[in-house]
Amino acid sequence: MKKIILALALIVFPAVAPAADIDQIQERPHWSFEIKGGLFYPDIPDWKTYYGSDRTTQYGAALAYKATRRIEFGIEGGYVKDTGRGFAPGHGRPAGQVTYELFPVNLFVLFRGVVSENQWLVPYAGGGFTRMYYREKVEFQDTIKGHADGYHARAGLQFLLDGLDRSAANNFYLDSGVYHTYLFTEAQYSRVMVNATSGSVNLGGMGYLAGLLFEF
């Protein structure tokens, strides 16, 4: 009889045991993944003349490995696009629609000011190598494309979202292994010089972005 009761207890106990709280987990996250979007202000001269505004949209995603809790190394891919009007050389008349695209690829090191796992506000800064792929298509003309190398720097603040719904945060960890979820805002500057007919031009510029960061 005792053996039967013991067997039943072993079966029932896992079902009634409380789910582990993420605050009680001792192991630290080893990876981070982020998605983001925002505004990009190109350094290219006369951008507003051709595209009607001094800014356009920018999107990106990044994956990084945490060498320590505060230092990580990663790769980031981005996308910038705008559409405007081209002008014929010599007389400045409209020459058709022009589509301009950038595909920045960043290799970076990042430093996060993490002191405790429940820290609701975390500053960070970093930077590294940038390879910028570009493509410009003017209607009824050949497509111009290529790439150039440079660098970038960024800094921002991330806001811990776990405390808004602790139960949902615990379930997210149990289901997918995500320790923490953050909302973040970021400023990112890039400088990638390329030779043009008018001289050297910076394909980079200033970006102001916001997104979600997941640590796992």
Side-chain angles (χ1 to χ4, degrees):
M1 187 63 179
K2 291 182 179 180
K3 292 182 179 180
I4 296 175
I5 294 174
L6 179 60
L8 290 174
L10 292 174
I11 294 173
V12 174
F13 179 77
V16 301
D21 192 301
I22 192 171
D23 291 337
Q24 300 173 353
I25 303 299
Q26 299 300 314
E27 186 180 0
R28 69 174 179 86
H30 292 280
W31 295 89
S32 68
F33 173 74
E34 63 183 41
I35 52 175
K36 56 191 174 183
L39 297 177
F40 179 69
Y41 292 78
D43 272 353
I44 296 177
D46 300 324
W47 181 272
K48 187 175 182 178
T49 301
Y50 291 96
Y51 296 95
S53 175
D54 63 348
R55 61 187 180 273
T56 185
T57 54
Q58 178 179 1
Y59 304 96
L63 178 68
Y65 173 74
K66 297 178 177 296
T68 71
R69 188 63 182 92
R70 298 179 180 86
I71 302 174
E72 57 188 60
F73 301 89
I75 184 170
E76 176 184 67
Y79 181 63
V80 176
K81 179 181 179 181
D82 208 347
T83 302
R85 301 292 295 178
F87 291 86
H91 54 69
R93 295 178 181 176
Q97 179 174 282
V98 55
T99 300
Y100 184 79
E101 296 173 290
L102 293 175
F103 308 87
V105 177
N106 298 325
L107 299 178
F108 62 85
V109 58
L110 205 62
F111 304 90
R112 301 191 190 273
V114 179
V115 178
S116 69
E117 294 301 319
N118 294 318
Q119 184 177 337
W120 70 273
L121 182 63
V122 179
Y124 66 91
F129 171 81
T130 295
R131 168 158 290 187
M132 187 79 77
Y133 295 89
Y134 60 88
R135 181 168 61 196
E136 184 178 36
K137 172 62 179 176
V138 181
E139 193 174 11
F140 310 121
Q141 298 184 36
D142 293 335
T143 298
I144 300 173
K145 59 183 178 179
H147 70 269
D149 297 334
Y151 65 87
H152 74 280
R154 60 170 164 153
L157 291 172
Q158 55 191 62
F159 307 88
L160 183 65
L161 299 180
D162 298 355
L164 298 179
D165 191 333
R166 179 57 59 183
S167 177
N170 290 338
N171 290 334
F172 196 23
Y173 169 76
L174 293 173
D175 293 340
S176 58
V178 173
Y179 288 82
H180 303 296
T181 303
Y182 296 90
L183 174 69
F184 68 89
T185 60
E186 175 180 293
Q188 183 177 124
Y189 174 75
S190 57
R191 181 176 175 83
V192 181
M193 304 303 295
V194 65
N195 292 324
T197 54
S198 58
S200 296
V201 174
N202 180 18
L203 296 180
M206 196 74 195
Y208 298 96
L209 309 164
L212 291 173
L213 169 71
F214 305 95
E215 293 186 331
F216 57 96

